Structure formats: C-alpha cells, structure tokens
Amino acid sequence: MVNRIFLIAVIAGIPLSVLGSLLHWPSLIMFAVYCLTIIALAGFMGRATESLAIVAGPRIGGLLNATFGNAVELIISIFALQAGLNGVVLASLTGSVIGNLLLVGGLSFLIGGLKYKRQEFNVYDARHNSGLLIFSIIVAFVIPEVFSMDMDEGKTLTFSVGISIILILLYLFALFFKLVTHRGVYKHKTDEAGEHEEPEWGAKKATLVLLLATIAVAYVSENLVHTFEEVGETLGWSELFIGIIIVAIVGNAAEHASAIVMAYKNKMNVAVEIAVGSTLQIAMFVAPLLVLLSLMFENNLTLVFTMPELISMVTAVFLTIILTNDGDTNWFEGATLLAAYFIMGIGFYLL
Amino acid sequence: MVNRIFLIAVIAGIPLSVLGSLLHWPSLIMFAVYCLTIIALAGFMGRATESLAIVAGPRIGGLLNATFGNAVELIISIFALQAGLNGVVLASLTGSVIGNLLLVGGLSFLIGGLKYKRQEFNVYDARHNSGLLIFSIIVAFVIPEVFSMDMDEGKTLTFSVGISIILILLYLFALFFKLVTHRGVYKHKTDEAGEHEEPEWGAKKATLVLLLATIAVAYVSENLVHTFEEVGETLGWSELFIGIIIVAIVGNAAEHASAIVMAYKNKMNVAVEIAVGSTLQIAMFVAPLLVLLSLMFENNLTLVFTMPELISMVTAVFLTIILTNDGDTNWFEGATLLAAYFIMGIGFYLL
Amino acid sequence: MVNRIFLIAVIAGIPLSVLGSLLHWPSLIMFAVYCLTIIALAGFMGRATESLAIVAGPRIGGLLNATFGNAVELIISIFALQAGLNGVVLASLTGSVIGNLLLVGGLSFLIGGLKYKRQEFNVYDARHNSGLLIFSIIVAFVIPEVFSMDMDEGKTLTFSVGISIILILLYLFALFFKLVTHRGVYKHKTDEAGEHEEPEWGAKKATLVLLLATIAVAYVSENLVHTFEEVGETLGWSELFIGIIIVAIVGNAAEHASAIVMAYKNKMNVAVEIAVGSTLQIAMFVAPLLVLLSLMFENNLTLVFTMPELISMVTAVFLTIILTNDGDTNWFEGATLLAAYFIMGIGFYLL
C-alpha cells in the first residue's frame, strides 16, 4: 500500500522535478514536489538498505544506511562551500547532528515503542558510540570554539585543520576496530534477532535500487536547495532555520524512513546505528572532510559554530547518551528526544 | 520522643506565629519561631505521607511527598510573582533544584549510609529520572539562556512560553508513562522491601493530618517570607542568598524530614523519589507553570536564570546523575553531595 | 634489557645532571639529559612501586604510585608559587589533570589493548572515581570560574579558600571511606588477579629504591624547570605550552611508566587507579593545598583557571567517565583518549 504510493510518487515526482526546474515553476510548488519526491525515494532507499542489511548483517547494514544518507548532505555542502556559504554549511552540519540524534532517534523510539513495551539493543555498541559522541562533539567541537576566542584567524584555521585530520584518523580507526580487530567481540542477545528474515530484494537488485535512488535524491536535493531562499522569503523563515531544520529533515529523510521501519520491526540495533552512526559520520567524517576540502576554495571553513548551534549539539549529545546508555528504549524516551528537538526548533525559528 | 517535641512545637508554634505577626514582634525572633514551627509541621507531614506511602505503595507515596512539598513553594512563588520579584522567583526555583538534589539527597544518603553500609534503589527509576533531569535542566534551561543572548525581550518571552508548554506536556506524558503504560514494567528487587510494614495512621487520618499541616505550613511560610528583608539586613544576607539557600531549606523542610526518615528506614526508593522527583516537579511543572501564570501579570517571567544559578543547577544535575545511576548509595556519596551544596552556598553568600 | 638501559641512564644521568648544572652547559643539551634521567628514574620507581603494590595489594599500590608521582609536582609548584608564577602553577595543574586522564590513561589502554582484546577493572572503583572527578573538576573548578565573574578579588580568594578546605576534607573522607568503612565492600572478579605474583624486590629494598629515586627525580626536575625559559625561546614554545604539556609529560613520567607496565601485565585496576587516582590527588589535594599555602606568600592563588584550561579539564573528565564507566577497556578507547590529548596539545601550542 505505502510502497505503491511511494512508487507512484517517484514515477510522477522525478519527471515533474525535471520539468518544473526547466520551466521555472513557482518555488513554493516545486518545494513541495521536491520534498515529496525525496521522501518517496527515501522509502525505496529504506527498502533497499533493509534488504542489504538482512544479507550483510545488522552492523554493516546500519553502516550502509548512514553512508547513503549522508552522501546527499556531503554533495549539498560541497556546493554551498564553493558558493562561500560557510554559515549554511555549519548550520546544516548542526541540523544533521541534532536531527539524527533527536528527530530520527526520537521518532524511532516513539513509533517502535508504541508497538513494543520495551525494545533492547546492543549496549556495547551504544557505549562505544557514546564515547565517540563525547569525543567528536564535546571535545573536538567545543575545544576549537573556546580556544578560537584567544586565537587569530590563521591559527584558528590551522587548529581546525589539525582537529580535522585527527577526527578522520580516529574515524578510520573506529571502522578498523569494529570490522577487523573487535568484530563480534562485543555480542549481545538481541544481535541474532531477525537475522533469519528473508530479504525483499536480492543483493544485486537492492544495490541497483539504492544506487539509482541515491542519484535521484542527490539531483532533487540540489534543486530543492535553490528554492530555499524564495521559500524563506515567502514563509518568513531565516536561512539559519532552513539550514538547521528543513535541510536536516529532508536531507535525512532516508535515515528517517529506514530507522523507523527498523524500529517498527523491533530491529533496534539497526535503528540506533542509523541515528547515532549517521551523527558520528557527520561529525567525524563529513565535517572534517569539508574543512580539508575548503582549503582548495577561497573561503576556508573552520570548526567554529555559533554558540546556539554548539550548545544545541552538546545538549543533544548528553540527552542521547543518558537515554541510550542502558541499551533499552520505550515510547517515552522517544517523546523526550522529540521534545528537545521541538525546543531547539522553536529557538532557531525565533533567532 | 521526637514526635512529642514536634507536637509541642506545633501546638506552641502556630498560636505564637499568629500572635507574633499580629503584634509585630521583632523579625529575628519571628524568623526563628516560623522556622521551628515549619520544621515541626514538616515532621507531621513526613509521618502522614509515610503512612500514605505504605498504603499506596512506594511510587505514589514518593509522588505525594513531592506534591505536598512543592505546593508551599508554588504558593510563595505566585505571591512573589505578583509583587514583580522575578529575581527572587528564579532564585527560589534554583534553590529548590540544588536544595533537593544536593541537600535533601545528600542528607538522605549520609544518614541512611551511617546505618547501612550500602543502600539500593530501583536503578530503572534512577535512569528514567536522569533522562528527565538532563532534559529539563540541561536542555530546557540551558538552551533559552544561550539563545536569549541573540534575542530581543519579546522573542525571549515567546521562547520561554513555548518551552514551558513543552515541559508541562512532557511532565504529563511522564506521569502517563509511569502510572499507565509502564506501571510495574521496570521492577527491581528492592521494590518489595518494607511494603509489609503497618502504616502509623490510616489513610483517612493521614490525609487529614497532611491537609491541615500543609495549610499551616503555607500560612507560616508566607509570614516567614515577610521577615526575610529585615533578617537579611540584620544578618548581612543578600536577597539572592535568602532566596536560594534559606527559602530552599525551610521551604523543603517537609521533603528533608520525610526523605531522611525513609533513608533511615532503608526505603531508598522513596527517599530518592522525593529528592529527584521533587526537583523534576519544580523544573518541569512549577517553573513552566509560573512562566504561563506570569502572562496574567505585568512582569512576565522568562526562563533566563543568572549564570551562577544556571551553572549551579547544571553541575548539581551531573553530580546527582553520576552518583545515582548505579542504583546504590553510601555515606560518602551523601558527603559528596553535601560538599557540593556547601560550595554553592558559600558562593551565593559571597555574591 | 630495558632495566639495564635504565640503570646505565641513571648511573650516567645523575652525575651529568649535577655536573651540567654546575658548569652551565647549554640548556637544550641539559634539557635532554634531565628528561632522559627522569624517565630512567621513573622506570626504577615503577619497579619499586610495583613490588610494593604486590606486597600491599592493588589499591594501596595504586595510592603509593599516585603519591610518589605527585610529590614531584607539589615541590615544583611550591617553588613556582614562591616566585609568583601563578599562571604556570595553574597551567601545570591543568597539564597534570589532562595528562593523567588522557595521556597516561590513553597509553595504558592502548598498549594494554594491543596485547589483550578486552581488559577489565573494578567497575565500583571506576564509578566511585567518576563521582569524585565530577565533584572536583565539574563542581569545584567550574563554580569559582563562573561565580568569580561577579566577584571582586578579595571575595574570589575567600571563595577559593573555602572551596579548598572542602576539597581537602572530602579527600580525607574519601580515604577514610576506601581504607576504613568500606574496605573490601565493593569487590570485583578482577581484584584477585595477579596477587599471587612474586614481588621483584622485598618491601624494604623497594621502599629504599622508591625513596632515593623520588629524591633524585625531585632534584633533576627542579633543574629541568630552570631550562624551560631558554628552551622555550630556542624552540618557539610558549610558557603555557611548556607548563601544560612538557611539565605534565616529564613530571608524570613515573605514572606513565608504572601505569603502562601494569596495563601490559593486565593489572588494569592498578593502571586506572594511577591515571584517575593521580588526577584526583592533583584536583582534591595538590591544587587546594597550593591555594592554602599561597596565603603565606605575597601572590595568593585562586582556583580561577583560564577558559581553555577549564574547558580542557571538563571535556577530559566527560570523555574519561564515558570510557571507563563500563569497567572495560580496549585499544580503541586508548586511541580516543590520546586523540583528545593531541587536540588539546595542538590548541595549547597555538595559543
């Protein structure tokens, strides 16, 4: 039923997106077309990654989800960086962090929790991820903010580049740890659950769907970005609000879709891996990669967020850690994460 | 023995309070009379809530304690709000948060710990409460502080009202979670302990005592507030210090009494529920309710504390969470909480 | 093999240190001589404390390590205090905190983790220490920083003295708790491991070696300090960087050596006790003792760090707690701590 609606939305949405952008249809209409198309495409991506996740196991599956979700954001950010819109880049990084932790995580816990009284996931993975969240957000993002107050621009950039190299190195070490030296060392009773399920699509078909949907999402997303200015003026939204809230919701639609599907199927390991793993990929890979790539452009990017952005990320990390560190979720924990997201959303709307 | 002294103090204290306030006796004498009367009344409230707690079970019992302790503070704050004393209202909210977490919690752990080597309580409740402490203090109080630096007064008020509505909604969801959807889901071996005890008073007598003592405490507390200015001048205390330290100690005397009694009886579930539950009621119900009620007055209340107030609450939350998250207390953890309270107390005295 | 090299380094290093300082050899050469001598002496201290640790049990052994490591720092700081170099004292305290937590802890976890897939230690001790880290760094160091912004110098000093007395009292209570009232109450399966090992030296010989090596380390360290200014000028290092990074690395060489030896022998209880226990001794004993001692000098010391110093300590505490609170380490957790240390090191180098 939902799958059929999504198929129709994709079959109708992609040609409409191409046509509308060529014929310069009104921004507000195209904004709606783009959003719906992306959400429908995200549905396909969710099904494809779910099939691959069943084939490849929950951990690699979660990694796949996070990678394909953030490819879109990386592409958008590179275009924004090239245009010198550093503020929008930092805002969309912030939006991805709080969106993944609070909105994706919150919806997963809430919707999964409406079906199941208590959902468990691998507590070792949760603690491993908590350490990386503290490292990337609390250490690697807060330190340059505070130190840069006593530094000139050149030193701030040098510091950002140094931190970026360390972040990417530790991200690679984390993959090596998870996939090579400690693969299967930290097991949990829920890790077996659902692995006997049959995948909807085979590995080849799933990969093809995932690939095509990713390309289509990237194309539509880029068009979507160009409607933001006019939509912002029409609806009275600031660029900061669009960057942090709208880009995050639409740009992470793929994660939303698949995390919620996984939570609804009680595969909380994958759902949490998507929400937190995607955040870590943004903070430890996308953000530092953008800093390093910016060295090729005129406007260099430093890891110095605005205070509201930084405090939002920091408080989102503390809330996520305290709620996930027991390896157990319920609907109320989802509601708490969503309430925190609404508070930040109202704040950025009013700024 | 103690009960008899408390009975005498109440029988002597209430007429003396009425007489003294009518005849305008010296403030310092009345200050002592009011304080002793409230502490004695708190003793009765402790025994009454204890009786009700035995009848109703530890969780509802804890809730009852928190409600009757904070009714006094809500009434005092409404009077202060009406008089436009927003600074005193925020100070007394701060004082209630750090007083309940550090002073009530610290005394309970210390005195309970002098009798028992190791006291356990429901670790699921502790983690549930930790999530709400992070949500209410770290997210809902820190965010408006930081965002308001870039907002005008009107937007700060709008933001405070939005946060207040979200706080009250989540507080109601939390009650629904605890009492309806997840009642008894998170059990713990200590939950049965002491439930076979006989209540001192029946439900009717306990309710009557609780009601009368609450009314008397409210009457005496209000008189007490009017002595603060003169006492402050006489003893060299600032209004901030009186609001944060003195109002909290006397205003939370009921919680002190019953939490310590519970800890001494090794019913740590109730003791922790009083200390932390009362804090959460202040942060998630009393504070946002005061913001919403202030819309009816000339002086509107925003959720923007002073930095010393905010940092005191934030650090108190982190200390409480790290000490309670293992579901286990001892005398030294109580001493640590009290040491933190003394540091903040000295700080507010010197400010 | 290593022991023989260390023996030669000590036999050659001590006369060279005395000769070089009397004959005023070039600073850069003496800097290298002093450093190598201290590291070699630290090797002997490590073996001596290890022998004593086997005789006395892991907990007292860890305490011995921490005490003999910090005696050097206390002596250096008193000389610096007498010379009015308050900034260097606070910097070296900061350096000891982040050096012990991130560098000593990180190297122990990394090197131990290269040999063992997963190393366990007493989770009760880790949680006890976490509470004290939050108390000393997050409460006792952050509170005076924030409050002092609204205080004059006199009140800031009074506040620092008050906090110092509370810190030392709680430190004494902590010892009383660990060694008297709760000795052996919180046991763990790893606590027995390795206690059947034979000590290298007897208690008398180990004590003598420890005593002589400590005196020699103190002598050489003091000479080392006097080379810092010239070395800083020659190599382009700021005094802050030397205070925070170089003093910490060389001054804590004893802890480094013994913590890593313990981690390599899979005695993680001792390794963690050295890293975290030494931090707590700095924060709860050395720092407040220096504040109280400074009352006898002209320049009084207050507990007001610079913002980069404070934020480095605070984020180091959060990272350490999240990584140690599960009582389990691996090489990647060590790499994470070291990555945080490198980020702060680069930051202080650029400041």
Side-chain angles (χ1 to χ4, degrees):
Chain A
M1 177 62 193
V2 173
N3 289 345
R4 209 169 281 176
I5 294 171
F6 277 3
L7 187 64
I8 294 165
V10 166
I11 289 172
I14 293 177
L16 277 175
S17 297
V18 176
L19 214 69
S21 76
L22 292 173
L23 300 176
H24 299 288
W25 289 357
S27 285
L28 219 58
I29 291 169
M30 290 317 296
F31 177 78
V33 169
Y34 295 145
C35 285
L36 292 173
T37 309
I38 288 175
I39 289 163
L41 282 165
F44 277 89
M45 292 180 72
R47 285 159 67 198
T49 46
E50 195 193 347
S51 295
L52 284 174
I54 292 168
V55 175
R59 212 168 280 133
I60 309 284
L63 221 74
L64 279 173
N65 268 300
T67 311
F68 281 90
N70 292 320
V72 179
E73 280 157 308
L74 185 60
I75 294 164
I76 298 175
S77 294
I78 290 172
F79 284 117
L81 208 57
Q82 217 167 11
L85 301 168
N86 291 8
V88 174
V89 172
L90 291 175
S92 88
L93 289 172
T94 304
S96 293
V97 168
I98 64 171
N100 277 307
L101 292 180
L102 303 180
L103 187 59
V104 178
L107 281 174
S108 301
F109 293 1
L110 179 64
I111 290 172
L114 293 178
K115 196 171 167 199
Y116 302 93
K117 258 213 152 59
R118 209 173 151 173
Q119 296 187 291
E120 289 187 26
F121 54 91
N122 190 325
V123 73
Y124 297 109
D125 281 354
R127 284 175 187 163
H128 175 78
N129 286 339
S130 295
L132 290 176
L133 282 175
I134 293 276
F135 174 75
S136 56
I137 311 288
I138 312 291
V139 178
F141 286 1
V142 172
I143 292 279
E145 184 94 8
V146 174
F147 280 60
S148 71
M149 291 173 189
D150 301 325
M151 284 180 182
D152 59 34
E153 265 183 54
K155 284 189 172 177
T156 302
L157 182 63
T158 309
F159 196 21
S160 291
V161 169
I163 293 174
S164 296
I165 292 168
I166 292 172
L167 276 167
I168 291 176
L169 279 177
L170 198 71
Y171 186 69
L172 296 177
F173 284 162
L175 288 178
F176 186 70
F177 174 82
K178 240 186 176 175
L179 302 175
V180 182
T181 72
H182 282 63
R183 192 175 171 184
V185 170
Y186 295 96
K187 276 206 174 157
H188 187 257
K189 57 185 167 175
T190 67
D191 285 9
E192 279 72 44
E195 283 187 51
H196 310 294
E197 226 179 322
E198 280 301 301
E200 185 184 357
W201 300 323
K204 274 190 192 173
K205 187 176 175 190
T207 311
L208 191 71
V209 170
L210 193 55
L211 201 71
L212 291 175
T214 302
I215 293 167
V217 163
Y219 170 77
V220 181
S221 297
E222 216 202 317
N223 283 324
L224 179 74
V225 170
H226 295 297
T227 65
F228 284 162
E229 202 185 325
E230 269 185 67
V231 168
E233 277 169 26
T234 314
L235 300 179
W237 296 346
S238 69
E239 278 210 354
L240 187 76
F241 179 73
I242 291 176
I244 289 179
I245 304 300
I246 305 302
V247 170
I249 290 179
V250 177
N252 290 308
E255 280 101 327
H256 289 228
S258 40
I260 292 163
V261 167
M262 293 298 176
Y264 195 73
K265 293 195 173 178
N266 207 17
K267 298 173 80 171
M268 287 309 280
N269 279 338
V270 188
V272 172
E273 184 63 43
I274 294 170
V276 180
S278 182
T279 306
L280 288 174
Q281 209 192 27
I282 290 287
M284 299 186 70
F285 185 66
V286 175
L289 192 62
L290 289 169
V291 169
L292 298 181
L293 287 172
S294 82
L295 295 175
M296 305 186 305
F297 304 127
E298 249 178 273
N299 271 307
N300 297 314
L301 186 73
T302 60
L303 281 177
V304 181
F305 294 86
T306 66
M307 275 306 275
E309 288 170 345
L310 188 70
I311 292 297
S312 296
M313 288 192 282
V314 166
T315 56
V317 162
F318 281 122
L319 189 61
T320 304
I321 286 177
I322 206 81
L323 293 185
T324 61
N325 238 19
D326 57 357
D328 177 299
T329 69
N330 52 54
W331 71 263
F332 182 69
E333 294 192 353
T336 308
L337 290 170
L338 289 174
Y341 189 72
F342 288 137
I343 287 177
M344 295 175 195
I346 297 172
F348 284 115
Y349 180 79
L350 290 172
L351 269 186
Chain B
M1 175 65 192
V2 173
N3 290 345
R4 210 169 281 176
I5 293 172
F6 277 3
L7 187 62
I8 294 164
V10 167
I11 289 173
I14 294 179
L16 277 175
S17 298
V18 176
L19 214 68
S21 77
L22 290 175
L23 300 177
H24 300 290
W25 290 357
S27 286
L28 219 58
I29 290 170
M30 289 319 295
F31 177 77
V33 169
Y34 295 146
C35 286
L36 292 172
T37 309
I38 288 176
I39 289 163
L41 283 165
F44 277 89
M45 292 180 72
R47 285 158 69 196
T49 46
E50 197 193 346
S51 296
L52 284 174
I54 293 168
V55 174
R59 213 168 279 134
I60 309 284
L63 221 75
L64 279 173
N65 269 299
T67 311
F68 280 90
N70 291 319
V72 179
E73 280 155 308
L74 186 61
I75 293 164
I76 297 176
S77 294
I78 290 173
F79 283 117
L81 209 57
Q82 217 168 8
L85 301 169
N86 290 9
V88 173
V89 172
L90 291 175
S92 88
L93 290 172
T94 303
S96 293
V97 167
I98 65 172
N100 278 306
L101 292 181
L102 303 179
L103 187 60
V104 178
L107 281 174
S108 301
F109 294 1
L110 180 65
I111 290 172
L114 292 178
K115 195 171 168 197
Y116 302 94
K117 256 210 155 61
R118 211 175 149 172
Q119 296 187 292
E120 289 188 27
F121 54 91
N122 190 327
V123 73
Y124 297 110
D125 281 353
R127 285 176 186 162
H128 175 79
N129 286 339
S130 294
L132 290 176
L133 282 175
I134 293 276
F135 174 77
S136 55
I137 311 287
I138 313 292
V139 177
F141 286 0
V142 173
I143 292 279
E145 183 95 7
V146 174
F147 280 60
S148 71
M149 291 173 189
D150 301 327
M151 285 181 181
D152 59 34
E153 265 183 56
K155 284 188 173 177
T156 301
L157 181 63
T158 309
F159 196 20
S160 290
V161 170
I163 292 174
S164 296
I165 292 167
I166 292 172
L167 275 167
I168 291 176
L169 279 178
L170 199 71
Y171 186 69
L172 297 176
F173 284 163
L175 288 178
F176 186 69
F177 173 81
K178 240 184 174 178
L179 302 176
V180 183
T181 73
H182 283 61
R183 192 176 172 182
V185 170
Y186 294 97
K187 274 208 177 159
H188 187 259
K189 57 184 166 176
T190 68
D191 285 8
E192 278 74 44
E195 283 188 52
H196 310 294
E197 224 179 321
E198 280 300 302
E200 185 185 356
W201 299 322
K204 274 191 189 172
K205 185 176 176 189
T207 310
L208 191 72
V209 171
L210 193 55
L211 200 72
L212 290 176
T214 302
I215 292 168
V217 162
Y219 169 78
V220 180
S221 297
E222 217 203 315
N223 282 324
L224 179 74
V225 169
H226 295 298
T227 66
F228 284 161
E229 204 185 325
E230 269 184 69
V231 168
E233 276 169 27
T234 313
L235 300 178
W237 295 347
S238 69
E239 277 209 355
L240 187 74
F241 178 73
I242 291 176
I244 290 179
I245 305 298
I246 305 302
V247 171
I249 290 180
V250 177
N252 290 307
E255 280 100 328
H256 287 230
S258 39
I260 292 163
V261 168
M262 293 298 177
Y264 195 73
K265 294 196 173 179
N266 207 18
K267 298 174 80 172
M268 286 310 279
N269 280 337
V270 186
V272 172
E273 184 63 43
I274 293 170
V276 181
S278 181
T279 307
L280 288 173
Q281 209 192 27
I282 290 287
M284 299 186 69
F285 185 66
V286 176
L289 191 63
L290 289 169
V291 170
L292 298 181
L293 287 173
S294 82
L295 295 174
M296 304 188 304
F297 303 128
E298 250 179 90
N299 271 307
N300 297 314
L301 186 73
T302 60
L303 282 177
V304 181
F305 294 85
T306 66
M307 276 304 274
E309 287 171 345
L310 187 69
I311 292 297
S312 295
M313 288 192 284
V314 166
T315 57
V317 163
F318 280 122
L319 189 61
T320 304
I321 287 177
I322 206 81
L323 292 184
T324 61
N325 237 18
D326 56 358
D328 178 297
T329 67
N330 52 55
W331 72 264
F332 182 70
E333 294 192 352
T336 308
L337 290 170
L338 288 175
Y341 188 72
F342 288 137
I343 288 177
M344 295 175 193
I346 297 171
F348 284 115
Y349 179 78
L350 289 172
L351 270 186
Chain C
M1 177 63 193
V2 173
N3 290 344
R4 210 170 282 176
I5 293 172
F6 277 3
L7 187 62
I8 295 166
V10 166
I11 290 171
I14 292 177
L16 277 174
S17 298
V18 176
L19 215 68
S21 77
L22 291 174
L23 300 177
H24 299 290
W25 290 356
S27 287
L28 220 57
I29 290 169
M30 290 317 298
F31 177 77
V33 169
Y34 295 146
C35 285
L36 292 174
T37 309
I38 289 175
I39 289 163
L41 283 165
F44 277 89
M45 291 180 73
R47 285 159 68 197
T49 46
E50 196 192 346
S51 297
L52 284 175
I54 292 168
V55 174
R59 211 168 281 134
I60 308 284
L63 220 76
L64 279 173
N65 269 298
T67 311
F68 281 89
N70 291 320
V72 179
E73 281 156 307
L74 185 61
I75 293 164
I76 297 176
S77 294
I78 289 173
F79 284 117
L81 208 58
Q82 216 168 10
L85 300 168
N86 290 9
V88 173
V89 172
L90 291 174
S92 88
L93 289 173
T94 304
S96 293
V97 168
I98 65 172
N100 278 307
L101 292 180
L102 303 180
L103 187 60
V104 178
L107 282 174
S108 300
F109 293 1
L110 179 65
I111 289 172
L114 294 178
K115 196 171 169 197
Y116 303 94
K117 259 211 152 64
R118 208 173 151 174
Q119 296 186 290
E120 290 187 25
F121 53 91
N122 190 325
V123 73
Y124 296 110
D125 281 352
R127 286 178 185 159
H128 175 78
N129 287 338
S130 295
L132 290 176
L133 282 175
I134 293 276
F135 174 76
S136 56
I137 312 288
I138 313 291
V139 177
F141 286 0
V142 173
I143 293 279
E145 185 95 6
V146 174
F147 280 59
S148 71
M149 292 173 188
D150 301 326
M151 284 180 184
D152 58 36
E153 264 182 55
K155 283 187 173 178
T156 302
L157 182 64
T158 309
F159 196 20
S160 290
V161 170
I163 292 174
S164 296
I165 293 168
I166 292 173
L167 276 168
I168 291 176
L169 279 178
L170 199 70
Y171 186 69
L172 296 176
F173 284 163
L175 289 178
F176 187 69
F177 174 80
K178 241 184 173 175
L179 303 175
V180 182
T181 72
H182 282 63
R183 193 175 173 184
V185 171
Y186 295 97
K187 274 206 177 158
H188 187 258
K189 57 185 165 177
T190 67
D191 284 8
E192 278 72 45
E195 282 188 52
H196 311 294
E197 226 179 322
E198 280 299 303
E200 186 186 356
W201 298 322
K204 274 189 192 174
K205 186 177 176 188
T207 309
L208 191 71
V209 171
L210 192 56
L211 200 72
L212 290 176
T214 302
I215 293 168
V217 163
Y219 170 77
V220 181
S221 297
E222 216 203 315
N223 283 323
L224 180 75
V225 170
H226 295 297
T227 66
F228 284 161
E229 202 186 326
E230 270 184 68
V231 168
E233 277 169 26
T234 314
L235 301 176
W237 294 346
S238 69
E239 278 209 354
L240 187 74
F241 178 73
I242 291 176
I244 290 179
I245 305 299
I246 306 303
V247 171
I249 290 180
V250 177
N252 290 308
E255 279 101 327
H256 289 230
S258 40
I260 292 163
V261 167
M262 294 298 177
Y264 195 74
K265 294 196 173 180
N266 207 18
K267 298 173 80 172
M268 288 309 281
N269 279 338
V270 187
V272 173
E273 184 63 43
I274 293 170
V276 181
S278 182
T279 307
L280 289 173
Q281 210 193 25
I282 291 287
M284 299 184 71
F285 185 67
V286 176
L289 192 62
L290 289 169
V291 170
L292 298 181
L293 287 173
S294 82
L295 295 175
M296 304 186 306
F297 303 128
E298 249 178 89
N299 272 307
N300 297 315
L301 186 73
T302 59
L303 281 177
V304 180
F305 294 86
T306 66
M307 275 306 274
E309 288 170 344
L310 186 69
I311 293 297
S312 296
M313 289 191 283
V314 166
T315 57
V317 163
F318 280 123
L319 189 61
T320 303
I321 287 177
I322 206 82
L323 293 184
T324 61
N325 237 19
D326 56 357
D328 177 301
T329 69
N330 52 54
W331 70 264
F332 182 71
E333 295 192 352
T336 307
L337 290 171
L338 288 174
Y341 188 73
F342 288 138
I343 287 177
M344 294 175 194
I346 297 172
F348 284 114
Y349 180 78
L350 291 171
L351 268 186

